[in-house]
Amino acid sequence: MRAPFIVGNWKMHKTVTESLDYVTAFLPQIAEMRDCDIAVAPVFTALASVAAAASGTALQVFAQDVAAEGPSGAFTGEVAAEMLKEAGCRGAIVGHSERRRNYGETDAIVAAKARRALDAGLLPIACLGETLAERESGAALEVVERQLGAIAGALTEADARRIVLAYEPVWAIGTGRAATPDVAQAMHRHIRSIWEAAFGATAAAELRILYGGSVTAENVADFTSLPDVDGALVGGASLSPAGFAQLIRRSRE
Ligand code: 13P
């Protein structure tokens, strides 16, 4: 019932030219993959060109962030959800841990960003996840609950049936140390049960929860085969078109 969803977060990699070269190489490799939603999230400057190149194909384009304000105003350096939509984006990642940690994004800001994205007709992928210290102190569930509570508080039931969530434990991002399938499944199950309590059984059953953190072509199926994991948010392993296409193929095996 939940369409699998694999998203490549390119982070601060690839110029416009490099992004377009990627898409040219990538599109033929995913042409036959119809049973999975596929997206990439390039840097802001490449969004419009990548979206134009991907137009009419199965490749969706996401921004890596979105302003908490909009549709326009005196917010230097920010990009509004409506502007991303016009540039051809299907959605935007919000609350990535790198933004929470390096740019001071609070739960309230992340919730406001998810709200703005939904209001502009974009699909938010809202990221959640605990740090290593939080996990080691036994606070992982509580931290994710708090992050999730802020997002849930900004949503209607209809929104709750559209948004995508991504569990990305901070200690697994870029470390080569992915969560174990048991840890991922337990957290995803917990997230779905919180969704059920907040929005009901249907919204919980429809909710797509992606796992992120050192996902590779070798381990992706360990996650996507889990009952409550509906796809992956992939950093490093999405940067090569052949490698990412292989990862997507493996996720379906
Ligand atoms: P890596 O796949 O490089 O660990 O990054 C995960 C991530 O942060 C995706 O948003």
Side-chain angles (χ1 to χ4, degrees), residues 7-11 93 96-98 127 166 168-178 211-216 232-239 247:
V7 182
N9 173 11
W10 291 352
K11 308 193 179 182
I93 297 169
H96 192 282
S97 63
E98 286 153 14
C127 302
E168 294 206 308
V170 179
W171 44 271
I173 295 177
T175 59
R177 189 184 154 199
Y211 167 76
S214 296
V215 174
T216 62
L233 183 52
V234 184
S238 72
L239 291 174
L247 184 154

Side-chain angles (χ1 to χ4, degrees), residues 10 14-24 26-27 39-57 59-62 87-89:
W10 291 352
K14 299 191 189 299
T15 63
V16 177
T17 308
E18 289 164 351
S19 299
L20 288 173
D21 288 348
Y22 182 111
V23 173
T24 303
F26 188 57
L27 285 176
V40 291
V43 298
F44 280 120
T45 49
L47 287 173
S49 341
V50 169
S55 168
T57 76
L59 180 63
Q60 302 177 17
V61 179
F62 276 63
C89 291

Side-chain angles (χ1 to χ4, degrees), residues 81-175:
E82 288 80 357
M83 295 164 179
L84 297 174
K85 175 103 175 149
E86 190 213 22
C89 291
R90 171 87 179 81
I93 297 169
V94 298
H96 192 282
S97 63
E98 286 153 14
R99 298 218 53 87
R100 292 178 186 261
R101 184 183 59 213
N102 301 330
Y103 305 99
E105 290 195 10
T106 60
D107 291 336
I109 292 172
V110 174
K113 290 183 169 193
R115 178 72 266 152
R116 284 289 313 139
L118 286 159
D119 286 343
L122 290 180
L123 184 66
I125 301 175
C127 302
L128 316 160
E130 79 285 358
T131 64
L132 185 60
E134 288 163 343
R135 175 152 290 268
E136 287 180 340
S137 69
L141 292 181
E142 189 187 312
V143 167
V144 169
E145 251 170 66
R146 190 202 71 221
Q147 294 170 338
L148 196 52
I151 293 163
L155 304 184
T156 64
E157 194 193 323
D159 299 327
R161 296 175 68 169
R162 289 174 55 212
I163 194 169
V164 174
L165 300 178
Y167 171 55
E168 294 206 308
V170 179
W171 44 271
I173 295 177
T175 59

